[in-house]
Amino acid sequence: MTVTSLRDGYVDMPVRRLRQPGDKPFDGDLPSQVPLFEGALRLSVNAFAIDDGEDITLIDTGSSNAWHPTMGFLPQALSEARIVVDRIRTVAFTHTHLDHIHGLVLPDGRDGFPQLSRLLVPRPELDMFRSVARLSRFHDRAEPSDPGQHLSASIEAVAATGHEIGHTGFRVTSRSETLLVWGDLVHVPSLQFERPEVAWEFDADQEQARATRLRILGLAADNAWCVAGAHLDSPGVGRVFRTEAAFRFQPL
């Protein structure tokens, strides 16, 4: 089993996207350990390829040319990793926000994954996916995924709701090792491990997102899982440890 981190790029976001309990934005009181780039938060955008030796399952696809020009570099990342796109037969989305789904279509309009045979979308977000006009040729091909569903013998969908109504993680197991690909559980790693109560403006349900983050951080720390995040600093893979008051992240 080989898991490869693929960097789609990055996006700079205003600090006000971070929300304290009560939907309160930060106003000059951002902790000093959070790095800023010309006053903005810089979020990596990562996808993950899981190779079982036969086929490759891709978790999320990046943004293609649907958003900022600093993103959409998944095809180059696949080439650098020497991953032949025709081996990618399954694509599974953690959720349907645009920086996760638009890589199905290349900027020139061609299919990003010509041999795609299975496209999995969290069941509560199927209608959201089917409302995206740019991806219309994939609307009828999309199949629902549910928590507890096995994509293969080694990949299981895990409920992670809060950031979006169907937000889903994928637990990958091989021998005695476990990796949890957790999508957008954490947006700003320099802050949200130490202060997991801090939410994100675009969380569909901030309170649920906080509760899910605490639950999954605890599971990852207590079970010594590796984790992989869409917005953890590239390559976005590491381990979670408990601290006296919260958690810390150790990148691999």
Side-chain angles (χ1 to χ4, degrees):
M1 180 76 68
T2 301
V3 179
T4 303
S5 173
L6 302 162
R7 190 166 188 262
D8 191 61
Y10 68 89
V11 59
D12 289 340
M13 301 293 277
V15 171
R16 67 176 181 274
R17 300 286 186 231
L18 286 167
R19 296 303 174 96
Q20 302 174 75
D23 199 28
K24 177 186 174 185
F26 284 88
D27 182 20
D29 54 350
L30 189 69
S32 60
Q33 80 266 20
V34 180
L36 297 178
F37 297 82
E38 297 183 351
L41 301 162
R42 178 160 293 181
L43 279 61
S44 286
V45 180
N46 310 309
F48 300 92
I50 304 165
D51 186 346
D52 65 6
E54 295 183 9
D55 294 326
I56 295 175
T57 296
L58 183 65
I59 307 298
D60 293 333
T61 65
S63 64
S64 187
N65 60 337
W67 203 11
H68 292 268
T70 54
M71 306 160 68
F73 296 99
L74 184 71
Q76 292 91 321
L78 287 164
S79 177
E80 290 170 3
R82 299 181 180 179
I83 293 175
V84 178
V85 293
D86 284 354
R87 291 192 60 222
I88 297 174
R89 303 295 179 86
T90 298
V91 167
F93 293 136
T94 58
H95 62 300
T96 56
H97 289 182
L98 61 82
D99 52 328
H100 297 257
I101 64 174
H102 278 277
L104 286 174
V105 177
L106 298 175
D108 63 8
R110 291 180 297 126
D111 285 4
F113 313 101
Q115 299 303 315
L116 184 67
S117 60
R118 187 169 55 158
L119 176 60
L120 297 171
V121 178
R123 186 181 295 275
E125 299 184 40
L126 272 171
D127 287 345
M128 298 166 68
F129 176 75
R130 290 171 176 156
S131 72
V132 181
R134 183 177 181 270
L135 305 178
S136 59
R137 63 182 179 266
F138 294 97
H139 291 174
D140 291 339
R141 298 175 61 182
E143 305 172 25
S145 65
D146 297 292
Q149 177 178 343
H150 285 267
L151 281 61
S152 70
S154 303
I155 306 173
E156 179 186 5
V158 176
T161 54
H163 177 58
E164 195 44 89
I165 57 172
H167 190 245
T168 298
F170 295 94
R171 183 164 47 217
V172 184
T173 55
S174 178
R175 297 180 182 174
S176 61
E177 294 181 300
T178 297
L179 169 72
L180 180 65
V181 184
W182 69 21
D184 285 16
L185 191 82
V186 169
H187 286 84
V188 181
S190 58
L191 179 63
Q192 288 179 291
F193 288 99
E194 182 178 317
R195 293 182 59 183
E197 77 279 5
V198 175
W200 191 243
E201 182 182 3
F202 297 134
D203 288 339
D205 184 328
Q206 291 183 17
E207 288 303 316
Q208 181 63 55
R210 289 186 180 97
T212 295
R213 185 163 37 256
L214 283 166
R215 175 177 62 83
I216 291 181
L217 287 173
L219 281 172
D222 295 344
N223 292 282
W225 293 347
C226 288
V227 299
H231 299 304
L232 299 181
D233 297 334
S234 180
V237 182
R239 294 187 185 276
V240 178
F241 297 90
R242 287 189 182 272
T243 64
E244 206 169 295
F247 300 90
R248 67 178 176 86
F249 178 66
Q250 180 176 307
L252 294 182

